[in-house]
């Protein structure tokens, strides 16, 4: 199975120089979450699935996260930008069809899949392929859920978000595919990430900050509605669980 042509076309030209600063800033926080989840663990080789334009890999390489970094990506323009960065510890940079990862079983100590699953038409197919090639996994997804999320469909589709998660819903997806959750992070965006989103809406910015202050006071609520959710998993030998 391949990514639908319409979906692939929408990503093939999305990476350009104008988006570099924003993506690089966001990638630093995503990379920090990866490092936090992997604290005290050494990974000899690492694969990023859906590497975009390579900003996360660039940070991980600078921080010596692993000296054997690799990636697969569906976007030709993303591949070009990754290669242009000359990332020190990056070995393979491969174009793939969105589902079939061209490596043998258990090849990687760790697969990273950050802000990808919300874009994927057939999530379970990709999850099974990630599970096949890796021993450990780190996923991060944005938490777009609200009780009236359907009223914002045009907004989310404009970002290519075709799947909506809460931390619990994403854990359900992983656990039903028999990934074992080891450690997770419910993450709230820093001001430098929020301000560009509210350039013309100061009221929206301060309202968002107020909501975030409430979430920090109540860990239970933070576990339901953070800005993003990151999780370290290991695989089991079981497949889809149907009881």
């Amino acid at each position: 199975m391949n990514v639908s042509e319409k979906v692939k076309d929408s990503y093939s030209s999305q990476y350009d120089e104008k988006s570099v600063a924003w993506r690089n800033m966001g990638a630093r926080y995503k990379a920090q979450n990866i490092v936090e989840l992997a604290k005290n663990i050494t990974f000899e080789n690492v694969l990023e699935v859906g590497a975009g334009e390579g900003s996360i890999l660039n940070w991980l390489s600078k921080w010596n996260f692993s000296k054997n970094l690799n990636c697969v990506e569906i976007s030709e323009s993303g591949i070009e930008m990754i290669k242009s960065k000359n990332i020190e510890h990056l070995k393979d940079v491969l174009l793939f069809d969105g589902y079939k990862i061209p490596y043998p079983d258990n090849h990687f100590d760790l697969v990273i899949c950050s802000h990808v699953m919300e874009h994927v038409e057939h999530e379970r197919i990709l999850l099974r392929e990630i599970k096949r090639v890796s021993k450990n996994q780190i996923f991060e997804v944005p938490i777009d859920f609200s009780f009236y999320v359907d009223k914002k469909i045009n907004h989310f589709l404009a970002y290519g978000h075709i799947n909506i998660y809460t931390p619990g819903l994403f854990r359900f997806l992983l656990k039903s595919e028999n990934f074992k959750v080891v450690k997770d992070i419910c993450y709230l965006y820093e001001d430098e990430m929020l301000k560009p989103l509210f350039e013309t809406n100061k009221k929206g910015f301060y309202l968002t900050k107020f909501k975030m202050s409430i979430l920090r006071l109540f860990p239970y609520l933070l576990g339901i509605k953070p800005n993003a959710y990151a999780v370290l998993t290991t695989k089991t030998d079981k497949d889809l669980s149907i009881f």
Side-chain angles (χ1 to χ4, degrees), residues 12 46 178:
S12 290
V46 176
N178 279 294

Side-chain angles (χ1 to χ4, degrees), residues 41-47 64-70 89 91 107-110 135-136:
I41 307 173
T42 299
F43 299 109
E44 293 299 325
N45 62 348
V46 176
L47 175 72
N64 290 311
F65 181 76
S66 172
K67 295 189 183 299
N68 188 344
L69 299 171
N70 306 269
H89 298 307
K91 309 303 181 185
H107 186 74
F108 291 100
D109 285 343
L110 176 69
K135 301 166 188 170
N136 303 276

Side-chain angles (χ1 to χ4, degrees), residues 70-73 78-80 82-83 90-95 103:
N70 306 269
C71 69
V72 292
E73 167 59 38
I79 292 284
E80 290 175 7
I82 292 169
K83 291 181 177 178
L90 184 59
K91 309 303 181 185
D92 287 352
V93 181
L94 303 180
L95 189 70
Y103 291 97

Side-chain angles (χ1 to χ4, degrees), residues 144-191:
D144 295 329
F145 174 81
S146 71
F147 289 111
Y148 294 100
V149 68
D150 59 305
K151 296 184 183 298
K152 300 178 181 179
I153 188 167
N154 290 335
H155 169 78
F156 290 121
L157 291 182
Y159 289 101
H161 292 195
I162 60 175
N163 301 310
I164 302 295
Y165 303 110
T166 66
L169 286 172
F170 193 66
R171 285 194 299 272
F172 182 92
L173 176 63
L174 293 173
K175 288 180 179 181
S176 68
E177 288 291 334
N178 279 294
F179 289 86
K180 180 181 178 182
V181 173
V182 177
K183 184 179 179 182
D184 57 5
I185 297 170
C186 289
Y187 175 68
L188 294 173
Y189 293 146
E190 303 293 336
D191 281 4

Side-chain angles (χ1 to χ4, degrees), residues 47 49 99-101 103-113 117 123-139 173-181 233-241:
L47 175 72
V49 172
Y99 294 104
K100 186 172 177 54
I101 300 173
Y103 291 97
D105 295 358
N106 299 309
H107 186 74
F108 291 100
D109 285 343
L110 176 69
V111 163
I112 295 165
C113 187
M117 297 304 299
E123 305 150 282
R124 291 181 183 273
I125 293 174
L126 180 58
L127 282 175
R128 291 166 194 172
E129 188 69 350
I130 288 172
K131 188 179 180 185
R132 181 185 66 80
V133 301
S134 63
K135 301 166 188 170
N136 303 276
Q137 309 78 29
I138 290 178
F139 299 95
L173 176 63
L174 293 173
K175 288 180 179 181
S176 68
E177 288 291 334
N178 279 294
F179 289 86
K180 180 181 178 182
V181 173
T233 61
T234 61
K235 73 175 184 180
T236 69
D237 293 329
K238 298 179 181 178
D239 296 321
L240 174 68
S241 295

Side-chain angles (χ1 to χ4, degrees), residues 166-226:
T166 66
L169 286 172
F170 193 66
R171 285 194 299 272
F172 182 92
L173 176 63
L174 293 173
K175 288 180 179 181
S176 68
E177 288 291 334
N178 279 294
F179 289 86
K180 180 181 178 182
V181 173
V182 177
K183 184 179 179 182
D184 57 5
I185 297 170
C186 289
Y187 175 68
L188 294 173
Y189 293 146
E190 303 293 336
D191 281 4
E192 66 174 335
M193 287 294 296
L194 287 174
K195 285 179 179 177
L197 301 175
F198 293 97
E199 276 184 320
T200 59
N201 184 8
K202 286 188 177 181
K203 182 179 178 182
F205 173 77
Y206 289 112
L207 179 60
T208 299
K209 290 288 292 179
F210 174 73
K211 290 178 180 177
M212 290 168 67
S213 67
I214 298 297
L215 291 174
R216 287 191 176 96
L217 287 173
F218 298 97
Y220 177 81
L221 295 179
L222 180 60
I224 297 171
K225 184 58 178 169

